[in-house]
Amino acid sequence: MAETGTGQGEDPGGPQPAMVLVRPQMGENIGAAARAMWNFGLDRMRLVAPRDGWPNPAAVAMASGASLVLDAARVHADTDAAIADLAYVYATTARPRDLTKAVFTPEQAMADARARAARGEPVGVLFGAERAGLENADVIRANAVITVPVNPAFASLNLAQCVLLTAYEWRRAGGAGLPERPGKARPATREEVTRMVEELSLRLDARNFFWPAHKRQSLEDNLRNLFQRMDLTDPDVRTLYGVFRTLAEKPPRD
Amino acid sequence: MAETGTGQGEDPGGPQPAMVLVRPQMGENIGAAARAMWNFGLDRMRLVAPRDGWPNPAAVAMASGASLVLDAARVHADTDAAIADLAYVYATTARPRDLTKAVFTPEQAMADARARAARGEPVGVLFGAERAGLENADVIRANAVITVPVNPAFASLNLAQCVLLTAYEWRRAGGAGLPERPGKARPATREEVTRMVEELSLRLDARNFFWPAHKRQSLEDNLRNLFQRMDLTDPDVRTLYGVFRTLAEKPPRD
């Protein structure tokens, strides 16, 4: 079975990929990777032989609000031990290797990982150290490779960025919808907009706006179309009534 | 027409979104944003009032291999100037605001941006300063909002990460189909819409529309937001000028 998260993430109690940092160096980067994971609700980190030991105060300082990820991190002596219980493992690599393996984009990989996790298969992703990335010996242990489609002239994603894009794609593959729509305003009904446009048209007509006569219909249609296609809210309509009334009825100061 | 890139990126000579950093603080973060852009072949950066002036040695040191992005960056005094020539602008925000605007995921926004750019409409994305993000006054100037669907319990993307996800989605959207734009009318630029709203505001102000005084700012913001978010065309703007002038200047027939 897949491990479960802390229950506070995006998929409470549900399966998640293990994010496996292989021989990470700077504690700051481990902390940044924890933040990147937790931004998308992932909290299952595994560390293979972190250079500066564990726990690492620099990692904790960088992780701040995401320190729960570090608290739950498991430390393993080597890659084999870190992935022993996983059914399917993806290795992130910056450049193609001479290895015969399926190569996925992050999007494809995380869609695949979601499907496997949903079947109860525990999955994980290997991330290499800051400079060198994964060694061939690590990539060989994975089932498939993930390569981010970067600019061939400049492929310089750091560890936390690579974790970020992978975690983002995991979340996206889950169909995580949009956050709440800001603004609670009720959309205006077609009728409300029509009534507003009609009042405006009367005011404009009294001022000979729809002229010359043979263009009257198309000018009126244009005006109506302009406001009808605008996705106006109830407060918008009231604002526009106020604007039109103010312009038409109030004399300007001097 | 959309500006073109350096020809070295993912879409040589093709249109790209302008990545507009609004009042960025640390040079390091500007450099990191440049790296994030260039990782996905984007090289059109615009800076609004960078806190520490420009050029900035700390930005250059951080950008290293992506310094061509900084070399080509344009600096503007304010957000209006930075987006004046753009037809459609997205504002990235971490949290929902009480503004009625379309809210896109990065994926939806960059698919939309690709379609607009392919039609020759210059597009751009606003990114806020490190801590506070964009001010409401900046968000109001945009047509739509981008919100990354992060973990609601931990939304702490930094500037470069936000740029990274947006640039990644632009690249991913590369194969997206192009919805037809209804009608052939040229989209209004931000500057044209801003000028129209300013003329309207002057007319309304002369008639004490923005009252009571303590609500003045929010009333003005509402009005601006109402028109800025409407995907207005050049003929729409001319129609609205005509509507406002007619109402304000012409007396009605008895």
Side-chain angles (χ1 to χ4, degrees):
Chain A
M1 276 303 301
E3 291 171 292
T4 56
T6 61
Q8 296 181 56
E10 150 259 356
D11 197 5
Q16 291 184 18
M19 305 296 253
V20 185
L21 312 192
V22 180
R23 288 178 295 281
Q25 299 178 1
M26 306 276 286
E28 288 80 355
N29 295 329
I30 302 172
R35 295 178 67 88
M37 287 172 58
W38 191 228
N39 263 305
F40 295 105
L42 301 185
D43 57 8
R44 290 178 49 209
M45 177 183 275
R46 298 181 184 189
L47 300 167
V48 175
R51 186 190 65 185
D52 300 335
W54 198 256
N56 181 327
V60 175
M62 174 62 91
S64 56
S67 57
L68 80 175
V69 176
L70 300 182
D71 295 344
R74 303 181 184 183
V75 182
H76 301 274
D78 57 35
T79 304
D80 276 335
I83 64 176
D85 61 325
L86 302 180
Y88 202 89
V89 174
Y90 309 84
T92 54
T93 72
R95 55 190 188 286
R97 312 270 180 129
D98 272 341
L99 296 169
T100 306
K101 267 193 214 296
V103 178
F104 290 124
T105 62
E107 178 186 19
Q108 294 162 338
M110 290 302 99
D112 184 71
R114 280 268 184 192
R116 291 178 188 280
R119 296 195 297 259
E121 301 176 25
V123 297
V125 186
L126 300 180
F127 299 90
E130 288 87 342
R131 294 204 169 273
L134 290 172
E135 292 175 9
N136 263 358
D138 299 313
V139 179
I140 286 166
R141 283 167 166 74
N143 299 77
V145 163
I146 300 175
T147 299
V148 181
V150 286
N151 177 4
F154 186 71
S156 80
L157 294 177
N158 65 31
L159 173 60
Q161 287 173 321
C162 197
V163 170
L164 184 81
L165 290 173
T166 306
Y168 168 78
E169 285 292 4
W170 170 266
R171 182 149 184 134
R172 230 172 50 75
L178 274 174
E180 288 257 320
R181 185 196 175 84
K184 307 272 181 244
R186 174 178 72 73
T189 65
R190 294 298 84 194
E191 186 182 16
E192 286 162 347
V193 177
T194 299
R195 238 187 259 146
M196 179 196 77
V197 175
E198 275 166 8
E199 189 189 288
L200 174 62
S201 288
L202 285 175
R203 290 188 192 277
L204 291 170
D205 196 26
R207 292 164 172 85
N208 298 316
F209 183 80
F210 301 114
W211 184 91
H214 70 277
K215 284 199 172 174
R216 183 193 174 86
Q217 191 59 54
S218 78
L219 290 166
E220 274 202 71
D221 287 351
N222 271 344
L223 189 72
R224 182 181 294 272
N225 182 50
L226 196 162
F227 289 104
Q228 291 286 13
R229 73 167 212 270
M230 275 178 183
D231 201 13
L232 295 171
T233 65
D234 169 54
D236 288 339
V237 169
R238 279 184 277 126
T239 298
L240 289 171
Y241 267 117
V243 166
F244 302 146
R245 262 178 214 158
T246 300
L247 291 176
E249 295 177 5
K250 297 216 178 165
R253 290 190 300 265
D254 49 273
Chain B
M1 275 304 301
E3 291 171 292
T4 56
T6 62
Q8 294 180 60
E10 149 260 356
D11 196 5
Q16 291 183 19
M19 305 295 254
V20 185
L21 312 191
V22 181
R23 290 178 294 281
Q25 300 178 359
M26 305 278 287
E28 288 80 356
N29 294 329
I30 302 172
R35 295 178 68 87
M37 287 171 60
W38 191 228
N39 264 306
F40 295 105
L42 300 184
D43 55 9
R44 289 178 48 211
M45 178 182 274
R46 298 181 184 187
L47 301 167
V48 175
R51 186 191 63 185
D52 300 336
W54 196 256
N56 182 327
V60 175
M62 173 61 92
S64 57
S67 57
L68 81 175
V69 176
L70 299 182
D71 296 343
R74 303 181 185 182
V75 181
H76 300 275
D78 56 34
T79 304
D80 276 335
I83 65 176
D85 61 325
L86 302 179
Y88 203 89
V89 174
Y90 309 84
T92 53
T93 72
R95 56 189 188 286
R97 312 271 181 130
D98 270 340
L99 294 169
T100 304
K101 269 192 211 294
V103 180
F104 289 122
T105 62
E107 177 186 20
Q108 293 164 338
M110 291 302 100
D112 185 70
R114 280 267 185 191
R116 291 178 188 278
R119 296 193 298 253
E121 300 176 26
V123 297
V125 185
L126 301 180
F127 298 90
E130 288 86 342
R131 294 206 170 274
L134 290 171
E135 291 174 9
N136 262 358
D138 299 313
V139 178
I140 284 165
R141 283 166 166 77
N143 299 78
V145 163
I146 300 176
T147 298
V148 181
V150 287
N151 177 3
F154 186 70
S156 79
L157 293 177
N158 66 30
L159 173 60
Q161 287 173 322
C162 196
V163 170
L164 183 83
L165 290 174
T166 306
Y168 168 79
E169 284 291 5
W170 170 266
R171 181 148 185 136
R172 232 172 47 75
L178 310 175
E180 283 278 309
R181 186 190 182 81
K184 305 268 181 254
R186 174 178 74 73
T189 66
R190 296 295 82 200
E191 187 179 19
E192 287 164 347
V193 177
T194 299
R195 241 189 255 143
M196 180 197 76
V197 174
E198 274 165 9
E199 190 190 286
L200 173 61
S201 288
L202 284 175
R203 290 189 192 278
L204 291 171
D205 196 25
R207 293 166 172 83
N208 299 316
F209 182 79
F210 301 115
W211 185 90
H214 70 278
K215 284 199 172 174
R216 184 192 174 88
Q217 191 61 50
S218 78
L219 290 166
E220 274 200 72
D221 285 353
N222 270 345
L223 189 71
R224 184 184 289 271
N225 184 50
L226 195 161
F227 288 104
Q228 291 285 14
R229 76 167 212 269
M230 289 174 183
D231 203 7
L232 295 172
T233 64
D234 171 53
D236 288 340
V237 168
R238 281 184 279 125
T239 298
L240 288 171
Y241 267 118
V243 166
F244 302 147
R245 263 179 214 154
T246 300
L247 292 177
E249 296 176 5
K250 298 216 177 164
R253 292 189 301 264
D254 46 279

